[in-house]
Amino acid sequence: TQIWVNEFLDHGVNTFHLQHETAYQQGGDFFIFFAPKDAFSRREPITEEISSAVIDQTQDILTRVKEMGLRQDQWAIYITDEPKDQDMDTVIAYGQLIRSVDPTIPFYVTVPWDDGKEITIRGVEKLVESGLIDIWQPYWYNAWAGHGVWELLKQTGKPIWIYEILANGPRNPNCG
């Protein structure tokens, strides 16, 4: 574990979503905690049982943050990965539930490219309007795709981190 953390740090990676304590001890700067399981991976309505589990898991994250001594600008909860339009209401509801534990919890989200079907600028607009997200991480493709997502995210005034995966090269020629 410590070996890959050191390799990442030696090559300029300073954001960690796993092995938080080890990365912190070795000089990591920013730590992403996955949202409670039910919030991150499910797209179903919140039941009383799920609500209780999400609150407990959120409190566990806050305990880890406190034990590590992280400042507010050193961490965020990764609310979900590339939400589709049909999931935005549920994602927002989970975000509100998590923030009910502590309204200062910062959220991070990955925003996929606009495929014009399941993921459109309308879904991203809904997430922007919710005011929940503190760090946006769209695919780099969004910067020049022309569908307006990049401009919309810039208007939020929140940090924008970009990412891309090699597999997108064949799907999106501008990514190669």
Side-chain angles (χ1 to χ4, degrees):
T1 302
Q2 187 166 340
I3 292 172
W4 72 262
V5 168
N6 290 337
E7 282 292 317
F8 277 29
L9 288 166
D10 288 346
H11 290 88
V13 175
N14 63 3
T15 300
F16 294 86
H17 68 285
L18 298 170
Q19 302 299 324
H20 301 107
E21 288 81 2
T22 300
Y24 182 69
Q25 292 168 1
Q26 297 302 317
D29 292 328
F30 195 89
F31 305 89
I32 296 171
F33 296 86
F34 285 98
K37 179 183 174 197
D38 292 313
F40 186 82
S41 58
R42 291 190 183 178
R43 300 291 192 263
E44 60 190 57
I46 301 171
T47 64
E48 190 172 317
E49 180 182 350
I50 289 173
S51 176
S52 178
V54 167
I55 288 170
D56 288 347
Q57 292 170 36
T58 300
Q59 290 169 332
D60 290 344
I61 292 169
L62 292 174
T63 297
R64 288 183 67 199
V65 165
K66 184 177 181 180
E67 287 172 352
M68 289 175 65
L70 298 178
R71 298 183 319 267
Q72 188 72 14
D73 64 348
Q74 287 185 289
W75 69 281
I77 289 181
Y78 188 6
I79 185 70
T80 194
D81 184 56
E82 301 179 4
K84 297 178 180 174
D85 289 6
Q86 69 195 29
D87 299 325
M88 290 303 177
D89 289 334
T90 305
V91 169
I92 292 166
Y94 276 109
Q96 291 167 338
L97 174 60
I98 292 168
R99 283 247 173 99
S100 74
V101 176
D102 180 341
T104 68
I105 290 174
F107 285 122
Y108 156 95
V109 71
T110 51
V111 180
W113 63 87
D114 181 343
D115 67 4
K117 300 173 193 152
E118 296 180 301
I119 303 164
T120 68
I121 193 166
R122 288 176 298 286
V124 178
E125 286 171 343
K126 185 177 259 191
L127 198 52
V128 166
E129 290 166 4
S130 76
L132 283 173
I133 306 304
D134 298 289
I135 301 169
W136 298 96
Q137 186 158 12
Y139 276 116
W140 181 228
Y141 169 77
N142 283 310
W144 56 76
H147 47 56
V149 169
W150 186 258
E151 292 77 14
L152 178 64
L153 297 182
K154 282 175 41 179
Q155 290 173 10
T156 69
K158 304 286 177 118
I160 299 175
W161 298 354
I162 55 170
Y163 80 109
E164 195 55 72
I165 56 175
L166 295 175
N168 281 340
R171 290 187 291 195
N172 297 315
N174 292 329
C175 295

